[in-house]
Amino acid sequence: MHAVVAALTEGTTAAADQVRGLTTEQVYEIERDQSAPLPEAYRCFLLLLGGGAGRFMRGTDVYYPRILGLRSAAQELLEENASPFRLRETDRVISMHQGYQFDFLRGLGDDPEVWSFCEGVSAGNVPSTNHEHFTDWLRRTAVTEIPVWRRLTSSYLEEQAKHSDERRLHYYRINPDGTRTEEF
């Protein structure tokens, strides 16, 4: 787990000051949110970076407090898709991406399997095993995202160096009041 955190804090995906672990009370709140047990590997993730890690897994509800209530959201997604699959009491939903894909832990060990469901993609409209262990899933996600953020950051900096009339890409957020906030 510490090796993943070290790899993420290389400065592009996240800086050391952007990695926020949770308090034991926040972890306990997450534990109470679902009936499934809280495996040790996932507890360690929450304590080390459960409050956020820069750009890592941006767009995915995997950090506190957005992970609260994910089990209900996952069950609704399965029902909306008329999936015959039902989550077990021992399954713990750990992430949801944009409302169409979720991941959950299955098994009772310290480092259980990760299963995934993706609307319109999952074979038979049911989740399947994604990784043998949570730590494998986390490591693979980091290995996949780090080079992507390196490339995106590089192109963002190149675009920012250009005069605004010459830019091909713009990275900003439109605020509720209609103003724009430069963001990457």
Side-chain angles (χ1 to χ4, degrees):
M1 194 66 64
H2 291 284
V4 171
V5 173
L8 290 174
T9 57
E10 91 300 354
T12 302
T13 306
D17 64 342
Q18 294 175 313
V19 175
R20 295 181 313 278
L22 299 179
T23 66
T24 52
E25 181 54 41
Q26 290 168 321
V27 172
Y28 185 57
E29 184 180 356
I30 292 165
E31 189 170 19
R32 290 187 315 251
D33 183 57
Q34 297 182 39
S35 62
L38 196 67
E40 193 55 38
Y42 184 57
R43 181 183 305 277
C44 185
F45 163 81
L46 294 171
L47 289 168
L48 290 174
L49 43 110
R55 296 179 177 114
F56 184 58
M57 290 196 265
R58 184 176 277 179
T60 301
D61 294 336
V62 67
Y63 300 118
Y64 177 85
R66 297 188 63 94
I67 56 174
L68 298 173
L70 285 188
R71 183 180 178 94
S72 297
Q75 288 173 321
E76 287 176 23
L77 183 59
L78 290 168
E79 289 168 12
E80 287 171 8
N81 285 276
S83 174
F85 186 86
R86 298 294 170 252
L87 291 168
R88 297 176 185 167
E89 285 299 312
T90 55
D91 293 338
R92 176 170 287 277
V93 179
I94 58 167
S95 75
M96 179 160 290
H97 185 74
Q98 306 292 312
Y100 69 86
Q101 187 270 329
F102 69 90
D103 299 298
F104 64 96
L105 303 176
R106 176 162 272 186
L108 298 175
D110 288 340
D111 194 6
E113 293 178 335
V114 176
W115 287 49
S116 297
F117 175 82
C118 188
E119 184 175 47
V121 176
S122 293
N125 212 22
V126 297
S128 60
T129 307
N130 188 330
H131 286 84
E132 190 174 331
H133 299 288
F134 170 74
T135 52
D136 296 336
W137 174 83
L138 186 63
R139 199 174 299 112
R140 183 71 191 136
T141 303
V143 165
T144 301
E145 285 195 19
I146 290 169
V148 171
W149 282 114
R150 255 189 225 121
R151 281 193 311 276
L152 285 173
T153 301
S154 173
S155 58
Y156 170 76
L157 294 173
E158 287 173 19
E159 289 296 312
Q160 285 301 99
K162 296 177 183 176
H163 186 275
S164 61
D165 294 340
E166 298 172 356
R167 291 183 191 156
R168 295 175 298 135
L169 302 171
H170 299 275
Y171 301 92
Y172 56 85
R173 174 181 39 194
I174 299 176
N175 300 310
D177 66 0
T179 60
R180 293 181 181 181
T181 302
E182 190 77 21
E183 183 180 277
F184 179 64

